[in-house]
Amino acid sequence: GSRAPLYHLYAFEAQTDSNWQTKAVQPPSSDVANSWEFYTRITGRNGKLYGLRRSYARINQYNSATNTWSPLIGTGINGQCADGTAALSCDIDPQDMFVTAQNQIFFLDRGRIRTLDSSNRVVTLFGQSLSYGEGGDPILARFSKLWSLALENDGRLMVWDFSYLREISTDRASLVRIAGNGRPGWVRDGFNAVSSAFPNGQDWWKGILTLDPITNDVYTPILNAGDDHGLIGRLNRSTGQWEKVFGGGAAGTPYRSADGMPGNSVRPGVWGDFNSNWPDGYIPVGFGNGKLLLSHSSYPEPNPAWSYNMLKLFNSTDSWRQQHLVGLSGNSTDYERYCADGTDVNSCNIPVFY
């Protein structure tokens, strides 16, 4: 008999057969049952059930006979792909979809309506990519989500656009991409900036662009080959490569007790548990007079409370040696996060870094 989705609850999707017998349908990708709330479920005009979860970057189809899901489009990595890319090799950012009675799939993907051709390859029907315009007139370009804008020392404009860094020429006649491949993610030591990931500004970087005013190098947290956090890197504009600048990774001394130490002995921060239970947030927020300014906060587990909110300077002319600027040790409650004008910096509490 025929089968069709009937209703869904928070914890499961239910389906009935011709005898009105129900069974639970688990989400795709081995998710726990209650993750159905994050999925968009679509019943196509062909009577088939489809599941779409934007953060998982896949479109799946349900097989009622075997109670299993099969991926139809996407790699599982958010991003974008060119027209003509095979469906299962295409990075997508799906937001909604529609399926005709003839099994033709149409889906929304970063400003475009796309479908599959007879060779099962992704093609665009309407719209343009939200990163459209590379190499052309900025007036005709498209932008996705602008997090930050910085003026370079020669008048060029640098723009953090979703998970790209883009640059507008001094005469405002051309737009080029200088970092990001469409896949949001950490930058990595030694990787080419244009062909590798760049973070989405919505993450804890909060879209802050920090440039060296002399070289236009861009400073950001970075991972090394061992995936160690606690490192600061830069985009070397002369080579187009990401490179580690300083930081001791898991083995470094935490910033809250590292004043006077060279940068490679310091752990500016870490998300996770490296020999302690302190997730330490850190982002570059300024560069001037040869010194990089980092904003730090800690959020200890298992009894979390924002603590050790501090600004630290790192001297590029002295082995990136750490220097305290402002902030206090210990917890920072709501009413302590600001201090009056004239307060000594060593007695002044500041807000959390984000």
Side-chain angles (χ1 to χ4, degrees), residues 55-73:
S55 62
Y56 279 18
R58 274 202 179 103
I59 294 173
N60 299 276
Q61 179 180 317
Y62 178 65
N63 185 321
S64 61
T66 61
N67 198 19
T68 58
W69 292 89
S70 298
L72 296 181
I73 309 173

Side-chain angles (χ1 to χ4, degrees), residues 77-277:
I77 300 175
N78 279 104
Q80 63 177 3
C81 72
D83 283 353
T85 303
L88 292 176
S89 299
C90 179
D91 292 346
I92 59 174
D93 186 11
Q95 298 166 58
D96 200 359
M97 63 179 292
F98 176 82
V99 185
T100 69
Q102 294 73 37
N103 302 313
Q104 187 71 38
I105 295 174
F106 300 89
F107 64 101
L108 301 183
D109 182 24
R110 288 193 182 177
R112 293 162 291 182
I113 297 176
R114 312 184 85 182
T115 188
L116 300 180
D117 64 16
S118 59
S119 300
N120 208 39
R121 296 181 179 277
V122 175
V123 293
T124 299
L125 297 177
F126 305 103
Q128 293 174 319
S129 165
L130 295 179
S131 60
Y132 171 82
E134 183 176 343
D137 185 344
I139 295 294
L140 304 178
R142 291 188 178 274
F143 294 90
S144 177
K145 184 170 285 188
L146 301 179
W147 299 111
S148 188
L149 175 71
L151 182 65
E152 300 181 35
N153 58 21
D154 59 359
R156 289 175 294 176
L157 289 174
M158 187 182 298
V159 180
W160 189 340
D161 181 18
F162 190 60
S163 58
Y164 297 99
L165 283 183
R166 309 173 82 182
E167 188 178 67
I168 301 172
S169 62
T170 303
D171 60 6
R172 309 296 183 252
S174 66
L175 175 72
V176 296
R177 175 168 51 95
I178 61 174
N181 62 2
R183 292 182 170 185
W186 282 80
V187 300
R188 292 180 173 272
D189 184 24
F191 279 46
N192 177 269
V194 171
S195 60
S196 59
F198 189 73
N200 173 2
Q202 186 173 338
D203 297 328
W204 51 270
W205 285 264
K206 298 304 172 187
I208 298 175
L209 270 177
T210 301
L211 275 62
D212 181 329
I214 305 300
T215 64
N216 294 323
D217 290 350
V218 182
Y219 286 81
T220 183
I222 196 170
L223 296 182
N224 63 12
D227 283 351
D228 284 335
H229 293 238
L231 307 172
I232 295 296
R234 69 180 167 205
L235 170 54
N236 187 322
R237 297 301 303 281
S238 64
T239 65
Q241 300 283 121
W242 291 108
E243 59 187 31
K244 174 195 168 185
V245 177
F246 66 89
T253 302
Y255 72 90
R256 52 189 180 272
S257 56
D259 289 347
M261 298 179 67
N264 279 334
S265 299
V266 179
R267 187 186 71 189
V270 58
W271 288 104
D273 188 348
F274 287 138
N275 304 316
S276 71
N277 260 340

Side-chain angles (χ1 to χ4, degrees), residues 5 40-45 48-52 96-99:
T40 299
R41 278 87 64 201
I42 296 98
T43 302
R45 290 287 180 90
K48 297 177 182 179
L49 176 64
Y50 298 84
L52 178 156
D96 200 359
M97 63 179 292
F98 176 82
V99 185

